[in-house]
Amino acid sequence: MANTTRSTLRQGEQEPARIDEDDRLALVDDAPAPAAPGSAGQEVAERPEEPDLRPYLAPIEPDRQVSDWGRSERVEGFFDRTLYDFYYHLWFRTEVEGIEHVPSDGGALLVSNHSGALPPDAPMIAKAIKEEHAHPRPLHLTMENFFRGYPGLSMLLPKIGGVTAHPANVHRLLHDEQQLVLVFPEGRKGTEKLYKERYRLRRFGRGGFVEAAMRAKAPIVPIAVIGAEEAQPIFAHVRPLQKLTGLIYFPITPLFPHFGLLGTAYLPAKFKIRFLPPVPTDDLGVDEPWEDQALVQTIAHDIRATIQDELLDMLGKRKSVWFG
């Protein structure tokens, strides 16, 4: 069968003349150039003038300052003027010793015991440096990753000085930015302690805080705090409710859970904070002391023992939980 080409023309229509490639190029060259906008023979539609929306934009606040870590001076200042000031001066009636051991400049790692269902020790330590130190400095608090699971806390904690507990973050703060960093080596184990186990320090992990200080060649300042154990003591844990609510732990305290959200309030225990002489890490006789795990563990153990001895000494001199 011969090959046939099916035509798409209707009956009565003529097929357009075929144009060779050379003729097509000639037609393109001879085509008139398009008229410029606004020239004769071409009308340009005028665009309607758009309204000025700049007055509706949020104004720039000159007093709003946020650091690279997300720390907001406005938010932190609000908490300082309200909660921190009230708890520090009126509720806990905080007494401070050895504040001169905190360096006035340069990076330093502060290490403290940790306790309480909602630990109040970190803000009180930061407030003590601000109120009592001759050269007040901001304090950065390392926080565990599990706080990211709580939308409110994950947004609030960085604004008031919280930094994710990662070696790179601690090194940058200590070495590069020469800041003060507060760590709690007991971690969550310290806040889970029952009242009968109060002021008995848990293990200080694997000494990661010592390695961080060694790498940054920053001193370690031990801190002993009493009062937090009685401000919000834990009598028991309810494991089924912990799994049901998804909380880190579900404690039984003097006010929680039978008073609901009011149960998160603190009891007016007397706070005492003792800053101890710093432990240097820049001259240990080894080029890379953080590689010596035996040395790291020894220093971590010595710091833990020092804080434990100071706690026992402070408790032995305390006459009253509420009045000191």
Side-chain angles (χ1 to χ4, degrees), residues 224-244:
V225 182
I226 63 172
E229 298 273 12
E230 294 84 9
Q232 202 172 65
I234 299 176
F235 298 140
H237 291 281
V238 184
R239 304 300 178 184
L241 291 179
Q242 172 187 351
K243 296 180 180 179
L244 180 63

Side-chain angles (χ1 to χ4, degrees), residues 45-54:
E46 296 183 0
R47 297 179 59 184
E49 185 179 354
E50 297 181 357
D52 188 4
L53 301 179
R54 285 175 294 181

Side-chain angles (χ1 to χ4, degrees), residues 45 76 130 263 320-321:
E76 188 176 17
K130 182 177 181 179
S320 170
V321 173

